[in-house]
Amino acid sequence: MAVSLISDSPMPDSINHSDLLAVEIAGVRFANPVWTASGTCGYGLDMAGLIDLNRLGAICTKGLSGTPLRGNAPWRIVETQGGMLNAIGLQNIGAHAFIAEKLPALREYGARIIPNVFGYTIEQYIEAIEILETGEGIHAYELNISCPNVKAGGESFANDPRQAAEVTAAVKKVATRPVIVKLSPNVTSIAVAARAVEEAGADALSLINTAIGMSIDINTRRPRIANVTGGLSGPAIKPIAVRCVFQAARAVSIPLVGIGGIATVEDALEFIIAGASAIQVGTANFYDPSASIRIVDGLADYCRHHGLASIRELIGSLRLDE
Amino acid sequence: MAVSLISDSPMPDSINHSDLLAVEIAGVRFANPVWTASGTCGYGLDMAGLIDLNRLGAICTKGLSGTPLRGNAPWRIVETQGGMLNAIGLQNIGAHAFIAEKLPALREYGARIIPNVFGYTIEQYIEAIEILETGEGIHAYELNISCPNVKAGGESFANDPRQAAEVTAAVKKVATRPVIVKLSPNVTSIAVAARAVEEAGADALSLINTAIGMSIDINTRRPRIANVTGGLSGPAIKPIAVRCVFQAARAVSIPLVGIGGIATVEDALEFIIAGASAIQVGTANFYDPSASIRIVDGLADYCRHHGLASIRELIGSLRLDE
Amino acid sequence: SASGRRYGLLRLRIDHSQDIHPGQFAMLKPRGSVEPLLRRAMAYYKVEPGPASTLVEFIYQIVGRGTEALARLRPADEVECLGPLGHSFDLEAATARQVALVAGGAGSPALFLLAQDLVRRQIPTRLFLGGASHGDLCGLADFTSLLGAERVFTATIDGTHGVSGFVTQPLEEYLTEESANGREVLIYSCGPDPMLHRVAAISAERSLPAQLSLEAPMACGYGICVGCAVPVKNSCPEGFIYQKVCTDGPVFWSHDLAWEVA
Amino acid sequence: SASGRRYGLLRLRIDHSQDIHPGQFAMLKPRGSVEPLLRRAMAYYKVEPGPASTLVEFIYQIVGRGTEALARLRPADEVECLGPLGHSFDLEAATARQVALVAGGAGSPALFLLAQDLVRRQIPTRLFLGGASHGDLCGLADFTSLLGAERVFTATIDGTHGVSGFVTQPLEEYLTEESANGREVLIYSCGPDPMLHRVAAISAERSLPAQLSLEAPMACGYGICVGCAVPVKNSCPEGFIYQKVCTDGPVFWSHDLAWEVA
Ligand SMILES: Cc1cc2nc3c(=O)[nH]c(=O)nc-3n(C[C@H](O)[C@H](O)[C@H](O)COP(=O)(O)OP(=O)(O)OC[C@H]3O[C@@H](n4cnc5c(N)ncnc54)[C@H](O)[C@@H]3O)c2cc1C
Ligand SMILES: Cc1cc2nc3c(=O)[nH]c(=O)nc-3n(C[C@H](O)[C@H](O)[C@H](O)COP(=O)(O)OP(=O)(O)OC[C@H]3O[C@@H](n4cnc5c(N)ncnc54)[C@H](O)[C@@H]3O)c2cc1C
Ligand SMILES: Cc1cc2nc3c(=O)[nH]c(=O)nc-3n(C[C@H](O)[C@H](O)[C@H](O)COP(=O)(O)O)c2cc1C
Ligand SMILES: Cc1cc2nc3c(=O)[nH]c(=O)nc-3n(C[C@H](O)[C@H](O)[C@H](O)COP(=O)(O)O)c2cc1C
Ligand code: FES
Ligand code: FES
């Protein structure tokens, strides 16, 4: 069978959208609102062979801890309809190695650098942040608060607004850079969670992290993922994510970064209209590595086509009959 | 273009799987564990032209209230990737009309009849149940507790374990038939919710109801659904639903009925292995009307192929390395 | 078409005989496809009945992922086809009247079976067919050979066929003329919502009966999802209730609709 | 095949020249398809390099929705193809050795480019090819004409080709013979996990080096998802770390793997 082919070729040279797409979040200026999501772009450099990192607004690194983590046993991922489950187990090289081995090369690119940070105790968050404070060229931190708090019964920090606020406040004390707190959708009220971390001093919110899911192999009767449950991501969760951004936008006044199933410019626009000042491309990086760059170009096209002087005019521009 | 066609033809005559697929839940015997989900099969009769209702384990009706409801303005539905959002607004003919116009014909079929009941106050639940108590041939009730409690700030009953327990206990006082409480996935802990309604006297749990989502038309910048947010259903939410059943199974000892994205026998088996004594087919009825009947046949095949004397052996048979 | 719109023709052989009436529709998707999930509603355009099988045709405008999936079908591919669904046009109402068929966009296919029946009943029938451009006048050749060119009036936005502008313009001219001649006209219409609204207004202004075939987003097409609501006048306190486009329609009398509330 | 397994051959023209090494793979899916979402990993089977384009071939077993989507491709369809990815087999290690290629199931395609290189380097090479049935011996004809029939040893479960049973049986006989003759053998292997485990055990028992090409569920194939973890021995306290099959492999030295922990 002869089949012609479209290979993944390098993107055309940087197109400068200048101010059209620039956004400011927590005092940091981003050339555009398109970021890559934590855990879906490695430490950024891993994508350098496929896309021009200079064209991204920011790169959120794989979750970093003070000490390296080995991660979960395989299988770690399974595809579901419209999405995938993952339980990587936060495997990472540790904050020290990130600074020594990744940061110098990453700094060479135009994209803002946002380490994603996690811990199983508040002290571990602090430890990671303190190490990262010594690194140069970092623009903000993103706190993954969806990890179990081992000192408080093993429930996730995100499950309890008080614990979410506590870790936020603790990190704010030691961080000299803006802190973006990443919210979990696995809560009864995203508004309550958003307000709690806003009051605790968060500079911005990113949302959503994955929804907890599970998949079972009906032949072996075992979970398909060694960790039993995993995080659901991809287009399947997009409607949940848009709803969360919409609800958070009405609950807080700090900027929001929208995440969840974003694969096209239309997806990105939904989040921006719902109230996001920036968006992150996650799972789409896996199956469509140039998705983020096409979104950058698509946003510029949309602005021009709709006569917008800046993408900022679009943020939270949802029309409701009220 | 000449294209050959498979039309939706009536199913072959009833195959009696006798005891192989029978399950008992709250003292009620069901010929098989395959039910149709509330809001996705009308009042049951609407599907009689397409499938043999005698072959279903049970039919959960469209949500019923004491007085008829007109429902939401259009648009009420929108398709998303792997799923759909709906905000029908609980349009229904009311419990009286159900008893007078639907129940007599529905009783003629072998499927168990389970009216799904909702209210915006506890009194409205009671009102609907009291009307339904006068109907003959009803086997159990399913309580939709995902409606806003207008007397308690407009948050859903399901969002607060205490309110969920309260409505359950109140209904249990007046219901002479088993009460199945339908849980919402939009909570921080499905285990807490499950335990709360179990303690309040629920005879069984069904889960999950839809996940709250939203979709925005980027050209009009308006929500695609008139109600702004809607309930996400379909294969997209299946991993979330399987996880909820798994978590509820470890939290309570009353039987569970699994719901969420079930479209094939493999899907149904995942839920049963996770701990469900029965399952409901929802959104799949829309795009694949005979899905439920194929699942009945598929379950029987699976049992025979795996040498099971009864599907009951499979319930909660998940293997974990612990 | 010159407007950039694209259309496809789908021809299916159904493996049994079916009784299909003008205005009814089917819910379609490629066999076994899971994306998109939901079937798409399409009005029957042509039907060739047979004892053991039925040949049916649909004309569809390619507007999104569902119709794109239909466009990827190739000969011998299988299609899931649930139908016929919905209520057909009321043909009795046309007795002793002149008929004006008013169609726009991809609405004209829904009127072709009706036109055939009207011709069979020898009811004087004219077609008012509008579209963005010449290529958007779906089924123009078939309608023309059925009704005769002198009974087909077209309007295109870009002026590439018939008058420039909306089809309701020649329609109104015709209605004025018929009314001057004292002849009663019945309107059957299918097309985009703005056109139907205009047709409904014309029918109200002139007290002419009109049957409109509506569209709505449909999950099931057979009455169980209640997603396809349309407000219909009612004697209840609010003055309207929601009916289902799929099973209560898709054909409604214009004067029954309570569009103003939605 | 008689075992009920189905296979497809995918031939692609890539619009630029590519440097592809034995054991590397590509991530594939039909262009624009959204279901399934993720691309599927496939080892290059054949490569015809050219100045402006490259012709590549893959043999795939149809096992699920991703490979079924590949099977629905028709001539002139476009495919998204990310590659070449991963580390290739270490060919230097074969110098002055006998080579045993051990393949099972859909693993043999991954060894054909390697076999071509070994022949080019005039390294004595034998193939041990196993499968459920005759029709499951992927690429048998190509391997036979490349290596010569006397150097191809097959085993099938149903006995329809070669010996009945597992391919590790003729492999062990051969290794025993070579060891008796004092000849050093290097094993390259690709196939289902149980076969690779057996090959790894044989390589350990006989202290023979073996390079194994592994499979793992892959979301990205290029190192960013960390979904494709495999335990690899390490001097850390736990004795192992997780490496990525996609970028640290897919080829690993058998003695580096810490399979027992997983
Ligand atoms: C009774 C009936 C008969 C129809 N007959 C025809 C016909 O003969 N020819 C034709 O070209 N089209 C017809 N349509 C419209 C056709 O169903 C839509 O164009 C089609 O569903 C769009 O699907 P899509 O996935 O390509 O577009 P998308 O816009 O991607 O569809 C997304 C969703 O919106 C819904 N949707 C989008 N537009 C419409 C619309 N205008 N009406 C209803 N639902 C919509 C779809 O059902 C789907 O769920 C008919 C609709 C109805 C209700
Ligand atoms: C480096 C590498 C090279 C490969 N080369 C070939 C080849 O040349 N020929 C061939 O037939 N197959 C090859 N495979 C296996 C092939 O990728 C899987 O058979 C395929 O992904 C199954 O996809 P599916 O959707 O049809 O099956 P499904 O079972 O529906 O797949 C579901 C999910 O599981 C994953 N998955 C399932 N089985 C496997 C498996 N055995 N290994 C890895 N992931 C799996 C898929 O990636 C997918 O995400 C290779 C795998 C890897 C990792
Ligand atoms: C494989 C994988 C690994 C992830 N790792 C992290 C992580 O380390 N830290 C974090 O905050 N989020 C992590 N996420 C969540 C994503 O950043 C993102 O919030 C989520 O996947 C939803 O977006 P998407 O649907 O676009 O993927 C991970 C997601 C995936 C799929
Ligand atoms: C259109 C629609 C209407 C629904 N109406 C009700 C309802 O009235 N009461 C209720 O408890 N659940 C209702 N549901 C939820 C379903 O019963 C089911 O819990 C949910 O859709 C998840 O299952 P699914 O993914 O199989 O559809 C409705 C779902 C849909 C899609
Ligand atoms: S489309 Fe489902 S009720 Fe009309
Ligand atoms: S497949 Fe993603 S890191 Fe290997």
Side-chain angles (χ1 to χ4, degrees):
Chain A
M1 178 196 302
V3 171
S4 56
L5 170 121
I6 294 290
S7 70
D8 293 86
S9 48
M11 297 298 301
D13 264 4
S14 304
I15 305 158
N16 193 343
H17 299 300
S18 68
D19 201 46
L20 187 61
L21 297 184
V23 293
E24 201 185 283
I25 295 174
V28 181
R29 187 183 186 278
F30 297 84
N32 66 61
V34 183
W35 309 2
T36 50
S38 176
T40 68
C41 57
Y43 304 102
L45 300 170
D46 313 71
M47 292 194 79
L50 288 170
I51 61 170
D52 180 356
L53 299 182
N54 292 305
R55 303 208 51 223
L56 291 174
I59 292 165
C60 299
T61 70
K62 175 70 195 160
L64 290 166
S65 44
T67 43
L69 263 192
R70 191 175 54 203
N72 290 334
W75 281 21
R76 294 176 167 190
I77 58 169
V78 62
E79 188 169 352
T80 64
Q81 199 162 327
M84 62 179 279
L85 290 168
N86 87 80
I88 305 302
L90 294 164
Q91 174 171 350
N92 80 95
I93 58 174
H96 282 298
F98 171 74
I99 291 176
E101 296 163 23
K102 307 291 178 181
L103 198 51
L106 205 48
R107 269 197 303 262
E108 299 300 311
Y109 295 96
R112 298 301 187 204
I113 301 171
I114 305 180
N116 177 284
V117 176
F118 72 93
Y120 296 106
T121 62
I122 291 184
E123 294 69 34
Q124 287 180 2
Y125 280 92
I126 305 291
E127 182 198 350
I129 295 282
E130 283 178 340
I131 298 167
L132 291 167
E133 281 286 315
T134 67
E136 259 172 63
I138 290 170
H139 301 90
Y141 303 113
E142 182 178 53
L143 293 198
N144 173 3
I145 59 166
S146 299
C147 325
N149 182 349
V150 293
K151 288 206 181 156
E155 285 278 313
S156 150
F157 287 94
N159 282 8
D160 177 359
R162 263 172 323 193
Q163 286 179 44
E166 234 180 281
V167 64
T168 304
V171 166
K172 273 299 289 178
K173 277 208 196 98
V174 296
T176 62
R177 293 154 180 153
V179 174
I180 305 168
V181 178
K182 184 164 178 177
L183 299 183
S184 155
N186 307 296
V187 295
T188 306
S189 169
I190 201 86
V192 168
R195 275 192 294 262
V197 298
E198 178 184 48
E199 276 162 28
D203 298 291
L205 303 177
S206 60
L207 66 173
I208 57 175
N209 212 315
T210 53
I212 303 171
M214 181 171 172
S215 175
I216 296 172
D217 183 324
I218 60 162
N219 292 313
T220 64
R221 299 190 203 164
R222 290 182 182 281
R224 282 185 188 274
I225 282 190
N227 186 56
V228 183
T229 60
L232 183 63
S233 65
I237 65 166
K238 195 187 76 173
I240 298 175
V242 172
R243 181 264 299 175
C244 286
V245 168
F246 166 74
Q247 290 176 332
R250 316 188 114 206
V252 299
S253 53
I254 50 178
L256 307 178
V257 183
I259 324 170
I262 298 175
T264 66
V265 64
E266 290 81 13
D267 297 336
L269 287 163
E270 276 196 69
F271 283 84
I272 294 170
I273 293 169
S277 297
I279 59 94
Q280 297 180 18
V281 179
T283 300
N285 295 321
F286 300 156
Y287 59 89
D288 186 8
S290 60
S292 54
I293 305 299
R294 287 204 317 278
I295 292 173
V296 174
D297 291 334
L299 288 179
D301 289 346
Y302 182 94
C303 288
R304 292 200 195 95
H305 187 260
H306 286 77
L308 303 177
S310 159
I311 189 83
R312 296 183 295 279
E313 294 175 32
L314 212 58
I315 300 168
S317 62
L318 183 72
R319 296 185 182 130
L320 293 179
D321 312 311
E322 288 177 313
Chain B
M1 176 195 301
V3 172
S4 57
L5 168 119
I6 295 291
S7 71
D8 294 87
S9 49
M11 297 298 300
D13 264 4
S14 303
I15 304 157
N16 193 342
H17 299 300
S18 69
D19 201 47
L20 188 61
L21 297 185
V23 293
E24 201 186 284
I25 294 174
V28 181
R29 188 182 186 275
F30 297 85
N32 67 62
V34 182
W35 308 1
T36 50
S38 177
T40 68
C41 57
Y43 304 101
L45 300 170
D46 315 71
M47 292 194 81
L50 289 169
I51 61 169
D52 179 357
L53 299 183
N54 292 304
R55 303 207 52 222
L56 291 175
I59 293 165
C60 299
T61 70
K62 175 69 195 162
L64 291 166
S65 43
T67 44
L69 264 192
R70 192 174 55 205
N72 290 333
W75 280 24
R76 293 175 168 191
I77 57 169
V78 61
E79 188 169 351
T80 64
Q81 198 161 328
M84 62 178 279
L85 290 169
N86 88 79
I88 307 300
L90 293 165
Q91 174 171 351
N92 80 97
I93 58 173
H96 283 298
F98 171 74
I99 291 176
E101 298 164 22
K102 307 289 177 183
L103 198 51
L106 206 48
R107 268 198 303 262
E108 299 300 311
Y109 295 97
R112 299 300 188 204
I113 301 171
I114 305 180
N116 177 284
V117 176
F118 72 93
Y120 295 107
T121 62
I122 291 184
E123 293 70 33
Q124 288 181 1
Y125 281 93
I126 305 292
E127 181 198 350
I129 295 282
E130 283 177 341
I131 298 167
L132 291 167
E133 282 286 314
T134 68
E136 259 173 62
I138 289 171
H139 300 90
Y141 303 114
E142 182 178 55
L143 293 197
N144 173 3
I145 60 166
S146 299
C147 326
N149 182 349
V150 292
K151 289 207 182 156
E155 284 278 314
S156 151
F157 287 94
N159 282 9
D160 177 358
R162 263 171 322 192
Q163 287 181 44
E166 233 178 283
V167 64
T168 304
V171 166
K172 273 300 286 180
K173 275 206 197 99
V174 296
T176 63
R177 294 155 180 153
V179 174
I180 304 168
V181 179
K182 184 162 177 179
L183 299 183
S184 154
N186 306 296
V187 296
T188 305
S189 169
I190 200 86
V192 168
R195 274 192 294 262
V197 297
E198 179 184 47
E199 279 162 26
D203 299 291
L205 304 176
S206 61
L207 65 174
I208 58 175
N209 213 315
T210 53
I212 304 171
M214 181 171 173
S215 174
I216 296 172
D217 182 325
I218 59 162
N219 293 311
T220 63
R221 297 190 205 166
R222 289 182 184 280
R224 281 185 189 274
I225 282 191
N227 186 55
V228 182
T229 60
L232 183 63
S233 65
I237 64 166
K238 194 187 76 173
I240 298 176
V242 173
R243 182 264 300 175
C244 286
V245 168
F246 166 74
Q247 291 177 332
R250 315 189 116 205
V252 298
S253 53
I254 49 177
L256 306 177
V257 183
I259 325 169
I262 298 176
T264 66
V265 64
E266 290 81 13
D267 298 335
L269 286 163
E270 277 195 70
F271 283 84
I272 295 171
I273 294 169
S277 297
I279 58 94
Q280 296 181 18
V281 178
T283 300
N285 295 320
F286 301 156
Y287 60 89
D288 186 9
S290 59
S292 53
I293 305 298
R294 286 204 318 278
I295 292 173
V296 174
D297 291 334
L299 289 179
D301 290 347
Y302 182 93
C303 287
R304 293 203 194 92
H305 188 260
H306 287 76
L308 304 177
S310 160
I311 188 85
R312 295 183 294 280
E313 293 176 32
L314 211 58
I315 299 168
S317 63
L318 184 72
R319 296 186 180 129
L320 292 178
D321 312 311
E322 286 177 313
Chain C
S1 106
S3 68
R5 295 186 174 82
R6 294 178 301 135
Y7 302 87
L9 176 75
L10 182 66
R11 195 176 151 82
L12 302 180
R13 189 172 48 73
I14 299 175
D15 55 10
H16 55 283
S17 95
Q18 284 197 319
D19 196 18
I20 297 162
H21 298 282
Q24 288 190 298
F25 66 99
M27 295 292 288
L28 301 170
K29 77 170 182 176
R31 180 148 184 86
S33 83
V34 291
E35 172 53 40
L37 217 51
L38 302 176
R39 301 176 185 211
R40 298 300 189 252
M42 292 295 156
Y44 293 96
Y45 173 51
K46 289 186 184 171
V47 176
E48 292 172 39
S53 70
T54 314
L55 283 171
V56 295
E57 277 182 29
F58 304 90
I59 293 181
Y60 57 93
Q61 186 184 346
I62 303 169
V63 295
R65 55 205 178 120
T67 45
E68 262 153 24
L70 293 179
R72 279 192 299 270
L73 284 168
R74 311 195 201 187
D77 278 353
E78 292 182 342
V79 170
E80 289 170 22
C81 175
L82 183 65
L85 300 166
H87 285 101
S88 54
F89 289 103
D90 179 349
L91 267 140
E92 300 311 318
T95 317
R97 284 188 179 257
Q98 313 282 315
V99 161
L101 303 175
V102 188
S108 53
L111 299 181
F112 190 69
L113 289 179
L114 175 66
Q116 286 182 319
D117 262 19
L118 290 166
V119 167
R120 210 171 291 133
R121 294 173 185 229
Q122 304 191 330
I123 293 170
T125 301
R126 279 178 170 70
L127 170 71
F128 297 85
L129 179 58
S133 190
H134 186 165
D136 300 306
L137 303 173
C138 294
L140 178 60
D142 283 330
F143 278 107
T144 305
S145 72
L146 177 71
L147 300 174
E150 70 287 4
R151 295 176 164 272
V152 174
F153 302 83
T154 61
T156 51
I157 306 297
D158 67 0
T160 46
H161 200 278
V163 301
S164 290
F166 293 115
V167 75
T168 41
Q169 188 189 319
L171 171 70
E172 291 216 75
E173 285 162 15
Y174 163 73
L175 294 177
T176 304
E177 200 182 297
E178 293 297 285
S179 129
N181 296 335
R183 283 199 287 257
E184 295 204 73
V185 177
L186 172 65
I187 298 172
Y188 293 103
S189 185
C190 186
D193 270 3
M195 189 198 85
L196 292 182
H197 285 112
R198 188 74 201 102
V199 170
I202 291 169
S203 116
E205 285 157 18
R206 298 177 180 257
S207 305
L208 291 174
Q211 289 180 33
L212 312 181
S213 177
L214 304 189
E215 292 188 1
M218 291 187 173
C220 71
Y222 66 100
I224 59 166
C225 75
V226 206
C228 59
V230 61
V232 170
K233 288 176 194 150
N234 188 273
S235 57
C236 68
E238 297 87 358
F240 75 99
I241 56 165
Y242 287 112
Q243 287 199 338
K244 301 176 208 169
V245 172
C246 65
T247 48
D248 297 315
V251 178
F252 291 87
W253 285 105
S254 175
H255 56 254
D256 284 340
L257 297 170
W259 266 336
E260 60 287 357
V261 305
Chain D
S1 104
S3 68
R5 294 188 174 83
R6 293 178 302 135
Y7 301 86
L9 176 75
L10 182 65
R11 195 175 152 82
L12 301 179
R13 188 172 48 73
I14 298 175
D15 56 9
H16 55 279
S17 94
Q18 283 197 319
D19 197 17
I20 296 163
H21 298 282
Q24 288 190 299
F25 67 99
M27 294 294 286
L28 300 170
K29 77 170 182 177
R31 180 149 185 86
S33 84
V34 291
E35 173 52 41
L37 218 52
L38 303 176
R39 303 177 185 210
R40 297 299 188 253
M42 291 295 155
Y44 292 97
Y45 173 51
K46 289 187 185 173
V47 177
E48 292 172 39
S53 71
T54 313
L55 282 173
V56 295
E57 277 181 30
F58 304 89
I59 293 181
Y60 57 94
Q61 186 184 348
I62 304 170
V63 294
R65 55 205 178 121
T67 44
E68 262 154 23
L70 292 179
R72 279 193 299 271
L73 285 168
R74 309 194 201 189
D77 278 353
E78 292 183 342
V79 170
E80 289 170 22
C81 175
L82 183 65
L85 300 167
H87 284 102
S88 54
F89 289 103
D90 179 348
L91 268 140
E92 299 312 318
T95 316
R97 285 188 179 257
Q98 314 281 314
V99 160
L101 304 175
V102 189
S108 53
L111 299 181
F112 190 70
L113 289 178
L114 175 66
Q116 286 182 319
D117 262 21
L118 290 166
V119 168
R120 210 171 291 132
R121 292 173 187 229
Q122 303 189 333
I123 294 170
T125 302
R126 278 176 171 69
L127 170 70
F128 297 85
L129 179 58
S133 190
H134 187 166
D136 299 306
L137 303 173
C138 294
L140 178 61
D142 283 331
F143 278 108
T144 306
S145 74
L146 178 71
L147 299 174
E150 70 286 4
R151 295 177 163 272
V152 174
F153 303 83
T154 61
T156 53
I157 307 296
D158 67 1
T160 47
H161 200 279
V163 301
S164 290
F166 293 114
V167 76
T168 41
Q169 187 189 320
L171 171 70
E172 290 216 75
E173 285 162 17
Y174 162 74
L175 293 177
T176 303
E177 199 184 298
E178 294 297 285
S179 130
N181 295 337
R183 283 199 287 256
E184 295 205 70
V185 178
L186 172 64
I187 298 172
Y188 294 102
S189 186
C190 186
D193 270 4
M195 189 198 88
L196 292 183
H197 285 111
R198 187 74 201 102
V199 170
I202 291 169
S203 116
E205 287 157 16
R206 299 178 180 256
S207 305
L208 291 175
Q211 289 179 34
L212 312 181
S213 178
L214 304 189
E215 292 187 2
M218 291 186 173
C220 71
Y222 68 100
I224 59 166
C225 75
V226 207
C228 58
V230 60
V232 169
K233 289 177 194 152
N234 188 273
S235 57
C236 67
E238 297 85 359
F240 75 98
I241 56 165
Y242 287 112
Q243 287 200 338
K244 302 178 212 170
V245 172
C246 66
T247 48
D248 297 316
V251 179
F252 292 88
W253 283 105
S254 177
H255 56 253
D256 284 341
L257 296 171
W259 265 336
E260 60 287 357
V261 304

